[in-house]
């Protein structure tokens, strides 16, 4: 009789543990989906911003090149000056590559953890 009482008592406990494990699994799954969707939404927003900035940069470059062409009264000199400007910028970035990479990587890591901590 005592043995049957223990089995009856263990059955609800086992059911509660199983239910708890299922709920924890569902919670972990929902948290993963939520985190993934937040990162994906952030990525889409960042891509739109980068594309917009790239287009603005390209049009500003053409504007500067045409302006310098008017100043120098020669298309090749105006566009050549803009090309030399970008060559100078690329050289400076190449020389200071290590100093530039670390802050950019840190900014990405902070952004990812900031999004996770806001939830």
């Amino acid at each position: 009789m005592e043995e049957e009482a223990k089995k009856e008592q263990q059955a609800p406990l086992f059911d509660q543990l199983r239910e708890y494990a299922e709920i924890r699994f569902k919670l972990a799954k929902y948290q993963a989906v939520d985190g993934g969707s937040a990162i994906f939404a952030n990525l889409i927003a960042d891509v739109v911003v980068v594309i917009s900035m790239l287009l603005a940069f390209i049009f500003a470059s053409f504007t500067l090149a045409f302006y310098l062409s008017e100043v120098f009264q020669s298309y090749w000199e105006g566009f050549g000056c803009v090309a030399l400007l970008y060559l100078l910028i690329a050289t400076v970035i190449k020389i200071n590559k290590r100093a530039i990479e670390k802050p950019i990587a840190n900014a990405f890591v902070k952004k990812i953890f900031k999004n996770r901590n806001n939830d």
Side-chain angles (χ1 to χ4, degrees):
M1 188 84 145
E2 193 175 303
E3 205 173 285
E4 285 181 21
K6 284 184 179 180
K7 284 185 180 180
E8 286 179 14
Q9 188 178 12
Q10 288 176 353
L13 181 61
F14 179 74
D15 290 340
Q16 287 176 349
L17 286 174
R18 185 172 43 95
E19 185 179 342
Y20 176 75
E22 289 173 359
I23 290 171
R24 291 293 294 179
F25 178 73
K26 285 181 182 178
L27 177 64
K29 186 170 66 171
Y30 293 145
Q31 285 175 338
V33 168
D34 183 47
S37 63
I39 290 173
F40 185 71
N42 247 342
L43 180 67
I44 294 296
D46 289 344
V47 166
V48 169
V49 169
V50 166
I51 289 173
S52 298
M53 290 175 63
L54 183 64
L55 288 172
F57 178 76
I58 289 171
F59 285 117
S61 296
F62 276 110
T63 302
L64 178 63
F66 280 119
Y67 173 73
L68 291 176
S69 296
E70 284 287 320
V71 170
F72 294 128
Q73 296 179 351
S74 171
Y75 282 119
W76 73 268
E77 286 180 359
F79 280 84
C81 285
V82 172
L84 286 175
L85 175 68
Y86 292 145
L87 182 63
L88 177 67
I89 291 170
T91 304
V92 169
I93 290 173
K94 179 69 175 169
I95 290 171
N96 298 317
K97 185 178 178 185
R98 294 266 187 226
I100 295 171
E101 282 178 343
K102 196 166 192 168
I104 292 173
N106 288 340
F108 281 127
V109 170
K110 283 181 185 178
K111 184 171 185 167
I112 288 172
F113 281 112
K114 178 183 157 195
N115 288 338
R116 286 188 178 179
N117 290 338
N118 285 342
D119 299 334

